[in-house]
Amino acid sequence: MAPTRTASTSELATSSERTGRGRAARRALVLSCLCLASLWVHTARAEGTYLEPQVFLAQSFPDGVPDPRVLWINRALRGELRDLLGEEYGALRLRHWTREQRSAWILEAIGKEKPITVGIVTGEHGIERLEVLVFRESRGWEVRRSAFTAQFRSARLDDDRRLDRPIDGITGATLSVRALQKLARMSLFLHQRIRQADDPA
Amino acid sequence: MTRRKPGRRSARSLYVWHRYLGGIAAVFLLLLAFSGIALNHPEELGLDETFMESEWLLDTYGIRAPDKLKAFPVGDDWAALVAERVYVGGTFLPGNYTRLAGAVDLGEMSVIAVDNLVLLATREGELIDKLDGTAGVPAGISALGLTADGRVAARASHGVYLSDRDLLGWEHPRGERTDIRWSVPGAPPESFKRKVSRYYRAHALSMERVLLDLHSGRAFGPRGPLLMDFAALVMIFLSLSGPWLWWRQARKLRRTHQRRAEGIDETR
C-alpha cells in the first residue's frame, strides 16, 4: 500500500494563505460590485420626474385644487422680472393656483443647460413649500433633497428683492442652486404682485 | 581621451529631452491654459450664447439641418420640428421635443402640440405658455384642430377634447363634433427650408462646445484625446525631470564651491 502523503507544515501554510487570499479576493469582488451597483443607482436617479405637477398641486391644496388663473407678463413686469432674475423669463404668461392668501406656482429655470421644473407654494409668511418636480440635468440633482429645499421655508424678499436668508449651496450643483434661488425670489415677487392686484388697499 | 561618467551622460541626455519636450509641451500648455481659463467663466464670457458662424467650422463638425422636416402651416407661416427644436416665427422656441403632432393658427397666437405638451407662441416666435397636465392637456395628442367657432380641438388617447377660450382647461365635447378641421402636415416651400437651415446652422455650435473640444483634444479628431494624454504625460515628465535636473545642478555647484574653498585654503 502506497504511503499516504501528508502535507508538510509549509504546504499547509501556503494552502491556508491561498484560501485566505481567495476569501479576501471574493470579498473585494463583492464589495466592488456593490459599489458599482450603488453608483449605477445613484446615476440612474439623477434625471427624471420626482413629483408630477398635478400631484404637487393636489398635495398643496388638499381641499381641492382651485382653477388656474393667468398672470400676463406685460412690458413693465417683464423688465422687473429681468432685473430680478438677471435674464428674461421665457414665457409671456404664468399660471398660478390661488386660494385666499396662498398661491402655487410651477416655474422653470435653466440649470446648466436644461430646465428644472419647480413647484413653489407662497403664502402670508413667505414660502411654504418648494419642491423640485422635474430635473433634466445629469448633475446637480442633489438640490431636490428635502434637506436643501427646507432652507427656503418661510423665506421672504428683503428690500433689495433678495431672499432674506443665505441658502447653503451644494458642491457641484452651483448652477442648480442658483436656479432654485431665482425661482424662489420670482415666486415671492409674483405673489406680492397678485396680492396687490387682488387687494389694492 | 576623456571618458564621461555614466551618470553625467544620463543627466545630459535627460537635459536634452527636457529641453525638446518642453518646447513641444509649451504649445499644448498654452492651449490648455487659455481654454481652461475661458471654460471656468462661461457665463461671464457668454460662451454658451455665442455661436460659431464659420461655414468651414460648421462643415467640419458636420452640422447640417435635416433634409426632411415635419411642418404644419400656421396662417402664412409654418411651424416645423427641426432636430428636436420647434421653429416658428423665424426662431426656435425654448425646449427640446421629439414629436410634433399638429399646429393651428389663432390669429395672434400659434398653438402647437408637441410630445405631451401644448405650446402657445406669438407670430414672432415668442413663447407665451407651455401647457401640460396641470392645464388639463390630455395625454397622447395625435392631432390638433380648430372648431368652426374657433376652439382648439385635440385628438388624444382617450378621445377628442376641446379647450376653453383661454386654453386653461380641456374637456370632452358634448356630442360628436363634425366641424373640426384637423391640421395636416404639409410641404413648406424651399425658401422656408433654406431659412430654417441657415438659422439652424447659425445656432448649432456654441463657442463653449468648441473650447471644450479644444481643451479635451476632440477637436483634433478621434485620436485627439490620445494626443492630449500624450501631452499630459510629457508635462508629468517635465515636472519630474525639472526638479531632478535642478537638484543635480545645485549639488554640482555646491561641490564646485567646496573644492574652490578647499583649494584656496591649501594654497594659503
Side-chain angles (χ1 to χ4, degrees), chain A residues 45-174:
Chain A
R45 276 211 309 250
E47 309 156 47
T49 300
Y50 297 122
L51 185 63
E52 290 288 344
Q54 295 96 304
V55 175
F56 168 78
L57 290 173
Q59 289 173 352
S60 303
F61 295 99
D63 297 333
V65 181
D67 290 334
R69 289 168 54 183
V70 165
L71 176 66
W72 283 95
I73 301 178
N74 57 26
R75 193 171 291 178
L77 186 55
R78 203 168 181 181
E80 287 186 279
L81 282 176
R82 191 170 44 239
D83 293 338
L84 189 78
L85 302 173
E87 60 193 11
E88 297 282 348
Y89 187 74
L92 294 180
R93 80 174 196 186
L94 285 166
R95 279 166 292 127
H96 59 98
W97 293 260
T98 296
R99 177 175 289 140
E100 291 164 7
Q101 312 268 359
R102 298 172 73 239
S103 298
W105 307 86
I106 295 178
L107 304 171
E108 283 190 351
I110 303 285
K112 171 112 175 66
E113 291 173 353
K114 295 185 183 170
I116 306 171
T117 305
V118 178
I120 306 175
V121 178
T122 51
E124 275 183 282
H125 305 290
I127 291 179
E128 292 184 6
R129 185 187 182 200
L130 186 147
E131 301 278 353
V132 174
L133 306 181
V134 186
F135 193 84
R136 299 173 181 87
E137 305 267 17
S138 55
R139 290 193 303 182
W141 62 271
E142 295 90 344
V143 292
R144 66 162 284 235
R145 285 195 185 134
S146 54
F148 174 76
T149 58
Q151 296 183 86
F152 291 92
R153 226 167 275 151
S154 305
R156 292 171 181 264
L157 287 180
D158 62 18
D159 294 336
D160 293 326
R161 288 183 181 168
R162 299 203 159 272
L163 293 178
D164 64 350
R165 68 209 38 208
I167 301 292
D168 283 340
I170 299 174
T171 306
T174 308

Side-chain angles (χ1 to χ4, degrees), chain A residues 2-63:
Chain A
T4 311
R5 183 175 179 279
T6 53
S8 68
T9 310
S10 61
E11 282 174 344
L12 278 171
T14 311
S15 165
S16 74
E17 274 173 12
R18 274 203 294 268
T19 311
R21 277 204 296 271
R23 251 189 247 128
R26 276 194 297 277
R27 268 192 224 127
L29 182 63
V30 168
L31 197 60
S32 307
C33 290
L34 284 172
C35 288
L36 282 170
S38 70
L39 192 65
W40 176 81
V41 169
H42 171 95
T43 312
R45 276 211 309 250
E47 309 156 47
T49 300
Y50 297 122
L51 185 63
E52 290 288 344
Q54 295 96 304
V55 175
F56 168 78
L57 290 173
Q59 289 173 352
S60 303
F61 295 99
D63 297 333

Side-chain angles (χ1 to χ4, degrees), chain B residues 194-232:
Chain B
R194 278 196 298 273
K195 206 164 61 167
V196 169
S197 175
R198 264 198 310 272
Y199 190 88
Y200 175 80
R201 275 168 65 90
H203 292 82
L205 185 62
S206 68
M207 188 176 283
E208 189 179 19
R209 167 52 44 203
V210 175
L211 281 172
L212 280 166
D213 287 343
L214 279 171
H215 194 80
S216 65
R218 285 192 179 81
F220 306 115
R223 292 203 166 78
L226 291 176
L227 187 62
M228 284 305 186
D229 290 345
F230 168 72

Side-chain angles (χ1 to χ4, degrees), chain B residues 136-192:
Chain B
V137 169
I141 294 181
S142 57
L144 214 59
L146 275 178
T147 62
D149 56 350
R151 291 173 72 182
V152 178
R155 187 186 297 133
S157 303
H158 299 289
V160 173
Y161 291 77
L162 293 185
S163 168
D164 61 22
R165 297 279 172 200
D166 295 323
L167 289 144
L168 289 175
W170 298 73
E171 60 180 9
H172 282 297
R174 291 194 195 107
E176 195 186 345
R177 293 290 292 250
T178 55
D179 62 333
I180 300 173
R181 265 187 316 128
W182 297 105
S183 62
V184 176
E190 286 304 314
S191 56
F192 176 82

